[in-house]
């Protein structure tokens, strides 16, 4: 039985892991190193939509781990709803909005239509109640006529969280526990001869521990020991921006209003975020390096899209806060969660858009694995593994092209007006096909569209992905229910 455990990270997942450990064993000493590097995490920038159904896409349904991931998202939704119902921090409810209004308009490309159908398919498969609604009757929804929605759904069982209030609540509950110690310092695992010693912090102090869990978002892979790191899929950075605005629209907009996921991003969404405030999000720039601040183009796009597609009165909103964060994306789009080849050294990262939502389930599973030897973590998400992406029938280059064209549509680059849409689609498709080939035969069909669109041949990350692919055989997919 572990007597001392260290958790590295300051986001929703790391704090839920610490909370789970304290709940499962009242005697274990827990140290949480919450020092933040210059890279902002996803948790504090998040819109925190707990939306297992609205986040479904036509692509995700085809992935071999979809049933597993979707089941865990639903389980996490139940956990958050049970834990946070009625909870407030300094008068702010942690559940900031109830229900999701899913709208579909023609601003983006046809990916949106495919994803809308996929969401309905998943709702029907789960026998979850939803209703078709007249877009004109959605509270707080008043787009400009040229961006009006053609259809809409209301999903009652989804909700949103106030991510800043949630983070404060997690810290306060941990601080109230005598067995938990929060440290405002950076740390990395310390090993010797492939054996775990503990961690060393940025003051060079060594903290011994029987178990160390790295849940530091996009920084997680970088602080692993080298021999472990090279067997973990390389990380990309889903850099996103958000606006928090003060607006009279907040009086009417009490549920999330959003589009399906599209254009490599999580769809345009506006949702309640504290007294008289609204959160506006949509961006996801898949980069090979993280960013620390919102880009001008993101701020401009969010402002224009929200007042055009959601409510024209948002043009009069005042900007209260700009947020930026980086989502950890594994090169095969799967999470990296589980114990590494060094006994006692664990990892929880690579969760892309699902990290905050899945945090209570991840925390509980890791806590039970360490303290009770209950192995419920999916084997397909093990940190050290081959790239496990499996290209759909449409092909990754074609999907990368469709998303890229959707980005152009959202930014009002109208290739079809010049009669060039088919020509441009063909050029992009050829470009991404050549880029797919540049990864070599070992990775044929195993490179996701997100990687094709962001990783240029000859770069350090390209070489790292190729080397990782060549060091592993092609995986034999065990199916969506594969668990440890």
């Amino acid at each position: 039985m572990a007597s001392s455990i260290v958790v590295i990270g300051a986001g929703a997942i790391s704090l839920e892991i610490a909370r789970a450990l304290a709940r499962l064993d009242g005697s274990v000493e827990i140290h949480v190193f919450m020092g933040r590097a210059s890279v902002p995490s996803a948790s504090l920038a998040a819109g925190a939509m707990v939306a297992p159904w609205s986040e479904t896409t036509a692509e995700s349904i085809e992935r071999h781990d979809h049933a597993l991931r979707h089941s865990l998202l639903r389980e996490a939704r139940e956990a958050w709803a049970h834990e946070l119902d009625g909870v407030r921090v300094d008068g702010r409810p942690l559940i900031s909005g109830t229900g999701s209004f899913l709208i579909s308009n023609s601003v983006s490309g046809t990916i949106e239509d495919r994803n809308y159908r996929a969401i309905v398919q998943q709702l029907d498969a789960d026998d979850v109640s939803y209703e078709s609604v007249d877009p004109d009757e959605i509270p707080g929804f008043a787009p400009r006529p040229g961006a009006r929605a053609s259809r809409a759904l209301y999903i009652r069982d989804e909700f949103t969280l106030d991510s800043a209030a949630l983070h404060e609540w997690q810290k306060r509950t941990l601080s109230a526990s005598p067995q938990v110690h929060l440290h405002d310092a950076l740390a990395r695992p310390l090993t010797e001869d492939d054996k775990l010693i503990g961690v060393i912090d940025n003051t060079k102090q060594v903290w011994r521990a029987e178990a160390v869990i790295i849940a530091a978002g996009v920084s997680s892979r970088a602080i692993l020991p080298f021999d472990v790191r090279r067997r973990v899929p390389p990380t990309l950075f889903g850099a996103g921006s958000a606006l928090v605005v003060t607006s009279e629209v907040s009086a009417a907009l009490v549920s999330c209003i959003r589009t399906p996921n599209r254009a490599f991003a999580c769809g345009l969404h506006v949702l309640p975020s504290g007294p008289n405030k609204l959160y506006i999000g949509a961006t996801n720039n898949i980069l090979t390096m993280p960013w620390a601040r919102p880009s001008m183009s993101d701020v401009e796009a969010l402002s224009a899209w929200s007042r055009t597609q959601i409510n024209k009165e948002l043009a009069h909103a005042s900007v209260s806060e700009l947020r930026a964060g980086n989502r950890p994306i594994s090169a095969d789009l799967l999470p990296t969660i589980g114990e590494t080849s060094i006994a006692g050294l664990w990892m929880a990262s690579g969760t892309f858009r699902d990290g905050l939502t899945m945090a209570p389930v991840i925390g509980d599973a890791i806590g039970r694995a360490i303290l009770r030897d209950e192995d419920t973590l999916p084997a397909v998400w093990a940190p050290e593994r081959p790239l496990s992406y499996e290209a759909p029938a449409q092909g990754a280059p074609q999907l990368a092209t469709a998303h890229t064209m959707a980005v152009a549509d959202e930014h009002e680059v109208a290739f079809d007006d010049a009669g060039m849409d088919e020509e441009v689609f063909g050029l992009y498709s050829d470009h991404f096909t050549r880029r797919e080939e540049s990864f070599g035969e070992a990775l044929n069909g195993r490179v996701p569209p997100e990687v094709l669109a962001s990783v240029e041949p000859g770069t350090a990350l390209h070489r790292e992905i190729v080397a990782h692919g060549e060091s592993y055989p092609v995986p034999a997919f065990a199916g969506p229910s594969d668990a440890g």
Side-chain angles (χ1 to χ4, degrees), residues 2 104 117 128 133 156 165 176 194 225 228 233 254 274 279 304 308 406 437 465:
S104 178
R117 291 192 294 269
V128 170
V133 297
R156 188 180 306 276
D194 290 332
V228 175
V254 295
Y279 175 100
T308 300
E437 292 169 352
I465 293 172

Side-chain angles (χ1 to χ4, degrees), residues 46-257:
M49 296 176 289
V50 182
W53 297 280
S54 294
E55 288 289 305
T56 302
T57 68
E59 295 169 45
S60 69
I61 282 179
E62 293 187 43
R63 292 181 190 146
H64 62 92
D65 76 327
H66 171 70
L68 165 67
R69 188 191 297 245
H70 183 67
S71 174
L72 292 177
L73 286 169
R74 293 186 65 183
E75 183 181 339
R77 191 208 75 84
E78 294 291 337
W80 280 132
H82 175 75
E83 184 84 23
L84 303 181
D85 183 34
V87 177
R88 291 174 175 263
V89 169
D90 298 332
R92 296 170 61 175
L94 268 62
I95 297 179
S96 59
T98 55
S100 296
F101 285 102
L102 181 76
I103 61 168
S104 178
N105 59 35
S106 58
V107 173
S108 189
T110 57
I111 286 177
E112 175 164 324
D113 297 328
R114 294 177 61 233
N115 290 345
Y116 190 95
R117 291 192 294 269
I119 292 166
V120 173
Q121 176 185 336
Q122 190 66 64
L123 286 162
D124 289 339
D126 294 342
D127 196 24
V128 170
S129 175
Y130 67 95
E131 56 184 298
S132 296
V133 297
D134 183 343
D136 292 339
E137 297 180 0
I138 297 175
F141 184 61
R144 290 183 176 171
R148 61 190 182 277
S150 59
R151 52 186 171 172
L153 298 176
Y154 179 65
I155 306 171
R156 188 180 306 276
D157 288 346
E158 297 186 335
F159 53 89
T160 59
L161 303 177
D162 183 330
S163 58
L166 173 67
H167 189 256
E168 183 62 28
W169 174 79
Q170 288 177 308
K171 290 193 297 181
R172 290 184 187 182
T173 57
L174 288 170
S175 297
S177 172
Q179 69 189 104
V180 179
H181 311 277
L182 304 182
H183 305 271
D184 188 20
L186 297 169
R188 63 170 55 239
L190 182 64
T191 62
E192 184 176 344
D193 298 327
D194 290 332
K195 295 186 183 300
L196 180 68
I197 295 173
V199 301
I200 182 168
D201 68 19
N202 55 339
T203 69
K204 306 302 183 184
Q205 182 174 349
V206 174
W207 302 76
R208 294 186 175 272
E210 286 78 23
V212 172
I213 307 108
I214 303 173
V218 294
S219 301
S220 297
R221 183 176 181 271
I223 62 176
L224 286 167
F226 174 75
D227 283 343
V228 175
R229 183 168 70 246
R230 65 186 180 86
R231 294 189 290 267
V232 175
T235 300
L236 288 84
F237 307 90
S241 302
L243 305 178
V244 178
V245 302
T246 302
S247 171
E248 294 180 359
V249 175
S250 64
L253 201 154
V254 295
S255 299
C256 175
I257 303 176

Side-chain angles (χ1 to χ4, degrees), residues 241 291 293-303 322:
S241 302
W291 69 9
R293 297 177 181 84
S295 70
M296 181 70 80
S297 62
D298 269 14
V299 173
E300 180 183 16
L302 290 172
S303 174
L322 297 178

Side-chain angles (χ1 to χ4, degrees), residues 117-447:
R117 291 192 294 269
I119 292 166
V120 173
Q121 176 185 336
Q122 190 66 64
L123 286 162
D124 289 339
D126 294 342
D127 196 24
V128 170
S129 175
Y130 67 95
E131 56 184 298
S132 296
V133 297
D134 183 343
D136 292 339
E137 297 180 0
I138 297 175
F141 184 61
R144 290 183 176 171
R148 61 190 182 277
S150 59
R151 52 186 171 172
L153 298 176
Y154 179 65
I155 306 171
R156 188 180 306 276
D157 288 346
E158 297 186 335
F159 53 89
T160 59
L161 303 177
D162 183 330
S163 58
L166 173 67
H167 189 256
E168 183 62 28
W169 174 79
Q170 288 177 308
K171 290 193 297 181
R172 290 184 187 182
T173 57
L174 288 170
S175 297
S177 172
Q179 69 189 104
V180 179
H181 311 277
L182 304 182
H183 305 271
D184 188 20
L186 297 169
R188 63 170 55 239
L190 182 64
T191 62
E192 184 176 344
D193 298 327
D194 290 332
K195 295 186 183 300
L196 180 68
I197 295 173
V199 301
I200 182 168
D201 68 19
N202 55 339
T203 69
K204 306 302 183 184
Q205 182 174 349
V206 174
W207 302 76
R208 294 186 175 272
E210 286 78 23
V212 172
I213 307 108
I214 303 173
V218 294
S219 301
S220 297
R221 183 176 181 271
I223 62 176
L224 286 167
F226 174 75
D227 283 343
V228 175
R229 183 168 70 246
R230 65 186 180 86
R231 294 189 290 267
V232 175
T235 300
L236 288 84
F237 307 90
S241 302
L243 305 178
V244 178
V245 302
T246 302
S247 171
E248 294 180 359
V249 175
S250 64
L253 201 154
V254 295
S255 299
C256 175
I257 303 176
R258 61 166 298 165
T259 70
N261 290 354
R262 60 192 191 187
F264 290 123
C266 48
L268 173 63
H269 47 274
V270 178
L271 51 97
S273 184
N276 304 316
K277 289 185 168 56
L278 296 172
Y279 175 100
I280 302 171
T283 68
N284 181 50
N285 305 276
I286 301 175
L287 307 175
T288 58
M289 294 294 291
W291 69 9
R293 297 177 181 84
S295 70
M296 181 70 80
S297 62
D298 269 14
V299 173
E300 180 183 16
L302 290 172
S303 174
W305 294 342
S306 60
R307 68 178 187 264
T308 300
Q309 300 178 48
I310 303 297
N311 194 308
K312 51 187 177 290
E313 293 301 317
L314 288 172
H316 307 297
S318 60
V319 178
S320 304
E321 184 182 353
L322 297 178
R323 295 184 184 178
N326 295 273
R327 308 171 183 92
I329 308 173
S330 296
D332 58 2
L333 307 185
L334 300 186
T336 47
I337 301 175
E339 190 173 20
T340 70
S341 54
I342 295 179
L345 180 60
W346 297 72
M347 184 179 184
S349 186
T351 47
F352 201 172
R353 301 185 184 100
D354 298 330
L356 190 147
T357 297
M358 284 207 297
V361 170
I362 294 171
D364 187 69
I366 288 181
R368 290 179 182 277
I370 293 173
L371 297 174
R372 299 184 181 179
D373 201 26
E374 297 177 11
D375 190 3
T376 61
L377 291 165
V380 71
W381 293 353
E384 295 168 76
R385 62 166 191 262
L387 296 186
S388 298
Y389 178 79
E390 187 175 28
Q394 185 179 355
Q398 287 68 39
L399 282 173
T401 301
H403 279 286
T404 302
M405 296 292 282
V407 172
D409 287 335
E410 291 191 343
H411 288 273
E412 299 182 6
V413 179
F415 294 118
D416 53 342
D417 284 353
M420 297 173 59
D421 50 332
E422 291 186 8
E423 180 181 355
V424 172
F425 190 98
L427 289 171
Y428 269 120
S429 182
D430 290 344
H431 168 71
F432 290 130
T433 297
R434 290 192 298 271
R435 186 166 285 186
E436 183 181 51
E437 292 169 352
S438 75
F439 284 92
E441 186 63 30
L443 286 174
N444 185 33
R446 296 165 60 195
V447 182

